[in-house]
Amino acid sequence: MNLFSVLYTELLWRPLFNGLVWLYAVLPGRDLGLAIVALTLVIRFALAPFLSRAQESQRAMQKLQPQVVKIQQAAKKNKNKEEQGRALMALYAENNVNPFFAFLALAVQLPILIAMFQVFRQGLQAASLAYLYSFIPHPGSVNPVSLGVLDLSAGNLYLGAVAALTQYFQTKLSSPPPPAGPSAAAAGKGDFASILQWQTTYVFPGLILVWSYTLPAALTLYWTVMNVFGIVQELLTRRAKKYGYGDGQK
């Protein structure tokens, strides 16, 4: 086993696996679905500051879209891509905006998502329980059936549809409105942030639906809870701003 595998196992997979088994063992009813929901909330709370920063960066990018369009149009007229790049970076630096922050937010979640997939694929097997820490109560076995009907070890297209819908609504809810004015028609076409937003809004939910047919339903449940938490967080943030507890923007 190489160093990367050891670090991945000991710093990511094993803590998540032990956390899931501990929650499964101590929560009433020993329901795996309930344990996944609880673990997902812990992860989402841990990532909340980072994800909120990514949303703020996305809103700031959207506000700069009219200026971005002007720079793009000027560079297109002068046929100077290097000048466009320098002007855009200067604009972002002047306004303290990181255009790659939204992408980095997804990049941070990806290793966790991969680790959770490994947890749900391997952690449901009795042999994986050998990786439990000594202070974690041993459950004997892990029943993959939640609420007596949902097999979380197999794919589930219905749960996948819920995950896809919640992903779509979360992205739409957290996305800022398009800029108004004469540049509105041209704004957001071809720049990195807008392309990423379009893919996250429309392509990613479709992929989730397709993947849910073969991936363990436990992973789909995890992503659904992450989305629902994100929707609730966004609604609470909007409510706080509406009543003057945020930055005053509606």
Side-chain angles (χ1 to χ4, degrees), residues 34-92:
L34 181 60
I36 291 172
V37 171
L39 180 62
T40 306
L41 292 179
V42 172
I43 294 173
R44 181 74 197 202
F45 272 115
L47 294 178
F50 189 83
L51 297 178
S52 296
R53 176 71 184 277
Q55 291 181 355
E56 291 174 3
S57 179
Q58 187 179 27
R59 294 188 183 97
M61 285 283 295
Q62 196 67 33
K63 290 180 181 179
L64 294 177
Q65 279 300 94
Q67 298 178 60
V68 170
V69 171
K70 290 180 181 179
I71 293 174
Q72 292 173 338
Q73 291 174 342
K76 183 178 181 181
K77 186 176 181 180
N78 299 329
K79 297 182 179 180
N80 192 333
K81 287 290 184 180
E82 293 183 3
E83 179 182 346
Q84 172 182 318
R86 289 193 295 268
L88 288 175
M89 289 300 103
L91 176 66
Y92 296 145

Side-chain angles (χ1 to χ4, degrees), residues 125-198:
Q125 303 171 7
S128 298
L129 296 177
Y131 288 92
L132 288 176
Y133 299 135
S134 59
F135 55 86
I136 300 295
H138 198 296
S141 63
V142 177
N143 182 7
V145 179
S146 177
L147 302 177
V149 294
L150 180 60
D151 185 359
L152 295 173
S153 65
N156 189 296
L157 197 58
Y158 298 105
L159 187 57
V162 176
L165 286 173
T166 54
Q167 175 65 40
Y168 171 79
F169 284 118
Q170 183 199 2
T171 306
K172 292 292 289 185
L173 189 63
S174 60
S175 298
S183 301
K189 292 184 178 180
D191 65 283
F192 174 82
S194 297
I195 292 174
L196 178 62
Q197 180 179 326
W198 186 88

Side-chain angles (χ1 to χ4, degrees), residues 173-229:
L173 189 63
S174 60
S175 298
S183 301
K189 292 184 178 180
D191 65 283
F192 174 82
S194 297
I195 292 174
L196 178 62
Q197 180 179 326
W198 186 88
Q199 292 177 341
T200 306
T201 304
Y202 299 105
V203 178
F204 195 41
L207 291 176
I208 291 176
L209 181 60
V210 173
W211 291 336
S212 67
Y213 186 76
T214 56
L215 293 176
L219 187 66
T220 313
L221 176 61
Y222 162 78
W223 199 252
T224 301
V225 177
M226 287 284 284
N227 291 337
V228 171
F229 188 93

Side-chain angles (χ1 to χ4, degrees), residues 15-31:
L16 290 174
F17 169 68
N18 277 265
L20 178 66
V21 174
W22 179 78
L23 289 169
Y24 175 81
V26 301
L27 289 176
R30 289 201 169 188
D31 188 288

